[in-house]
């Protein structure tokens, strides 16, 4: 599978909260660095730890929506600029904007380093 296809399918799976498809697109030794807690985020290594982190994110977020704003492919790297939004307790939509730096290996995502604005 082409790098661009993997990144696009991953973004779609993440937007839909489709944990199984997202996990099918990553390596067994994936590294994920989350945006929280500040200031450095959390680091999760291996598919089991990453699955647990993403399952919690999807379960704890009301009406999540992940929108890709731009993707730049650079060899085995991809930079994805995104907006992530959710339904707040008041019924409004909250959001953050950020960037993922992905490393690809053998047609899968091997590293997802996430950063947010502000």
């Amino acid at each position: 599978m082409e790098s661009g296809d993997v990144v696009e399918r991953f973004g779609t799976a993440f937007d839909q909260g489709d944990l199984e498809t997202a996990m099918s697109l990553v390596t067994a030794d994936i590294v994920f660095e989350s945006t929280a807690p500040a200031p450095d985020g959390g680091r999760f290594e291996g598919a089991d730890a990453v699955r647990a982190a993403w399952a919690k994110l999807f379960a704890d977020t009301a009406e999540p929506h992940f929108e890709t704003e731009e993707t730049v492919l650079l060899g085995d790297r991809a930079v994805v600029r995104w907006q992530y939004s959710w339904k707040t307790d008041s019924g409004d939509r909250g959001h953050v904007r950020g960037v993922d730096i992905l490393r690809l290996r053998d047609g899968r995502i091997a590293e997802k380093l996430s950063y947010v604005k502000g």
Side-chain angles (χ1 to χ4, degrees):
M1 184 179 314
E2 295 286 326
S3 296
D5 293 337
V6 170
V7 172
E8 183 177 343
R9 286 186 61 208
F10 181 80
T12 298
F14 222 75
D15 175 45
Q16 296 172 349
D18 183 349
L19 184 58
E20 294 310 312
T21 298
M23 293 306 300
S24 76
L25 298 168
V26 304
T27 61
D29 63 345
I30 181 157
V31 172
F32 167 54
E33 290 186 359
S34 67
T35 61
D40 295 321
R43 183 175 172 93
F44 305 89
E45 297 182 18
D48 291 341
V50 170
R51 174 185 289 277
W54 290 346
K56 182 172 177 14
L57 172 69
F58 295 149
D60 292 351
T61 307
E63 296 181 24
H65 177 62
F66 177 85
E67 179 181 345
T68 299
E69 295 178 342
E70 179 181 27
T71 300
V72 178
L73 299 172
L74 307 161
D76 70 343
R77 295 277 184 178
V79 178
V80 180
R81 192 167 47 88
W82 48 261
Q83 179 174 259
Y84 187 69
S85 65
W86 59 90
K87 184 177 179 182
T88 66
D89 291 340
S90 67
D92 295 327
R93 301 246 358 131
H95 79 275
V96 294
R97 292 181 66 221
V99 171
D100 282 349
I101 300 173
L102 306 175
R103 186 169 52 87
L104 300 146
R105 187 178 70 235
D106 300 327
R108 296 181 186 268
I109 296 168
E111 187 175 64
K112 180 182 188 298
L113 309 177
S114 298
Y115 301 88
V116 295
K117 296 182 101 180

